[in-house]
Amino acid sequence: MFTGIVEDLGTVESLTRGADFAALAVTSDVVVTDHTVIGESIAVNGVCLTVTSIHGTTFTADVMHETLRRSSLGTLRTGSHVNVERAMPANGRFSGHIVSGHIDGTGVVESIVPDGIATVYTIRAPRNLMRFIAEKGSIAVEGISLTVTFANEETFGVSIIPHTAGHTVLPERKPGSVVNLEIDPIARYVDRLLSMPRTEDAGQAGTAAGPASPITKDFLLSHGF
């Protein structure tokens, strides 16, 4: 689990592509500073990866086909900068929001407009993701926890303060750039609950289930959702 608060701006040392996988090497000061160990989870541009080796300040990770298909990691090149965040410790602080590191898909930057001290990024996302993106809700863009400033059927906006711009890859993104997106996982689970039939009485394992009925808004409210 992550929080979407980027710890470091890493640099890609190499990305070796196979037929349906890739091996990624990233140099980042958090590897040494925070005593990273093999087997730990690290988010790279919002993608949860497992550390497979460590050499000085460089760690490596395998990127499977599903990840390449859903994210923009396959477009990285030697020298590319990446957002790096280690997994949240059990006694850590939630400064962002719940981020799983499981990318839902990618979006495309449509425009970048100054707004006072901030900068507004408008991002076009697939409709199957836009239904989960709500104004004033949370979204992870390139692994960064951000608040949605507006949302319609095809695009949404996020407002970037100077601190975020100075410590992440966002200033390197231009109109047309592809960015990783992870929707708020709470929205994903609520959607799943609403779309699945509810078993009134599951009984014991191996017995016939009772009649099914859809989960309603009243059911969710009565159960604390």
Side-chain angles (χ1 to χ4, degrees), residues 167-218:
H167 293 82
T168 70
V169 300
L170 282 185
E172 300 178 15
R173 302 297 182 259
K174 309 299 179 186
S177 294
V178 177
V179 291
N180 292 324
L181 302 177
E182 182 187 331
I183 60 173
D184 189 330
I186 295 175
R188 184 191 299 116
Y189 287 123
V190 170
D191 178 73
R192 179 65 170 171
L193 284 169
L194 289 171
S195 65
M196 290 290 289
R198 179 167 63 95
T199 301
E200 297 289 344
D201 182 11
Q204 297 181 355
T207 63
S213 62
I215 294 178
T216 64
K217 179 180 178 181
D218 289 340

Side-chain angles (χ1 to χ4, degrees), residues 5-10 82-84 144 161-171:
I5 303 301
V6 175
E7 294 184 272
D8 189 32
L9 200 58
V82 289
N83 293 327
V84 177
I144 308 164
I161 62 172
H163 177 84
T164 302
H167 293 82
T168 70
V169 300
L170 282 185

Side-chain angles (χ1 to χ4, degrees), residues 67-142:
T67 303
L68 292 173
R69 185 176 65 83
R70 294 249 188 182
S71 76
S72 64
L73 286 192
T75 66
L76 295 175
R77 299 291 183 266
T78 299
S80 295
H81 290 129
V82 289
N83 293 327
V84 177
E85 180 191 356
R86 292 189 312 137
M88 179 183 175
N91 63 346
R93 183 189 298 274
F94 266 120
S95 294
H97 72 280
I98 297 173
V99 177
S100 67
H102 302 155
I103 299 301
D104 293 292
T106 57
V108 177
V109 178
E110 280 216 334
S111 66
I112 303 173
V113 180
D115 182 22
I117 65 167
T119 303
V120 176
Y121 285 67
T122 297
I123 299 171
R124 179 172 296 275
R127 288 202 169 203
N128 65 318
L129 297 186
M130 282 304 309
R131 63 193 298 264
F132 296 104
I133 301 172
E135 185 173 327
K136 300 307 176 185
S138 296
I139 190 167
V141 178
E142 297 287 65

Side-chain angles (χ1 to χ4, degrees), residues 13 16 25 37 39 88 102 112 137 158 208 210 214 225:
E13 291 297 318
T16 305
V37 298
M88 179 183 175
H102 302 155
I112 303 173
V158 288
F225 289 94

